[in-house]
């Protein structure tokens, strides 16, 4: 649905390694306001972040780094093996992300934004975003390309990438939810920028 000032709202998603964050940056250069759920989550779980006291209370100090931030590697291993732990973590973080998202949207609307892009990795999985955006934009590529990119970028093993992918919607599920898709199989940023500009033009940017 449209905001108070008829801002176009776009939900942006894609599997790990799809290039979603790169596309978000390109849309920002075209004039879109980006509300990045991952960035908000990282801010909340950084040292002195709003989520840290609850994380320490529920999970213990062993899940914090020496600097006092969330130990992402330790937590990733826990939630892979314990689905209940994942739910407990989400119960801490999701309300904080939702509140900050609302604040950023209000600021963008007040500033006269034409288009707000919600960069949400688990947009399809959440089920609630479809009713909050005008269109869903999916950045798509083959699963093998996802795996190779994450292994090269993050130094993860193939098994580690597959575990993350198993917790995300399938490629078919994301494409079924898409109003628009960008096929990002190539590693050419020039090609991707051109495709993104075409999509941005359709958003009135």
């Amino acid at each position: 649905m449209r905001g108070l000032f008829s801002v176009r709202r776009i939900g942006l998603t894609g599997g790990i390694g799809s290039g979603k964050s790169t596309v978000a940056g390109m849309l920002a250069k075209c004039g879109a306001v980006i509300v990045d759920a991952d960035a908000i989550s990282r801010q909340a779980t950084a040292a002195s972040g709003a989520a840290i006291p609850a994380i320490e209370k529920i999970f213990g100090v062993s899940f914090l780094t020496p600097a006092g931030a969330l130990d992402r590697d330790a937590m990733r291993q826990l939630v892979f093996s314990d689905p209940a732990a994942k739910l407990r973590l989400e119960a801490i973080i999701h309300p904080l992300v939702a509140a900050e998202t609302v604040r950023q949207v209000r600021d963008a609307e007040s500033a006269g934004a034409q288009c707000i892009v919600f960069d949400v990795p688990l947009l399809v999985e959440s089920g609630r975003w479809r009713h909050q955006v005008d269109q869903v934009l999916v950045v798509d590529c083959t699963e093998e390309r996802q795996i190779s990119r994450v292994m090269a970028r993050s130094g993860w093993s193939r098994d580690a990438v597959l575990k993350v992918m198993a917790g995300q919607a399938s490629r078919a599920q994301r494409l079924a939810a898409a109003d628009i898709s960008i096929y990002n199989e190539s590693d050419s940023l020039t090609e991707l920028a051109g495709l993104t500009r075409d999509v941005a033009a359709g958003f009135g940017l």
Side-chain angles (χ1 to χ4, degrees), residues 30-72:
C30 292
V33 173
I34 309 298
V35 177
D36 186 337
D38 254 0
I40 296 170
S41 175
R42 287 193 298 271
Q43 183 181 41
T45 55
S48 301
I52 295 302
I55 289 172
E56 182 176 358
K57 179 179 179 180
I58 293 174
F59 294 99
V61 71
S62 61
F63 286 92
L64 301 181
T65 67
L70 173 66
D71 186 328
R72 293 183 172 275

Side-chain angles (χ1 to χ4, degrees), residues 71-93:
D71 186 328
R72 293 183 172 275
D73 289 337
M75 186 61 73
R76 187 181 298 112
Q77 292 177 20
L78 176 64
V79 299
F80 280 156
S81 61
D82 183 357
K86 181 174 183 287
L87 293 175
R88 291 196 298 272
L89 181 65
E90 289 175 347
I92 296 169
I93 295 175

Side-chain angles (χ1 to χ4, degrees), residues 141-161:
C141 65
T142 63
E143 293 178 350
E144 281 302 317
R145 180 63 73 182
Q146 288 181 256
I147 294 166
S148 65
R149 282 176 178 156
V150 178
M151 289 176 67
R153 176 188 73 197
S154 303
W156 290 7
S157 67
R158 182 182 181 88
D159 185 57
V161 183

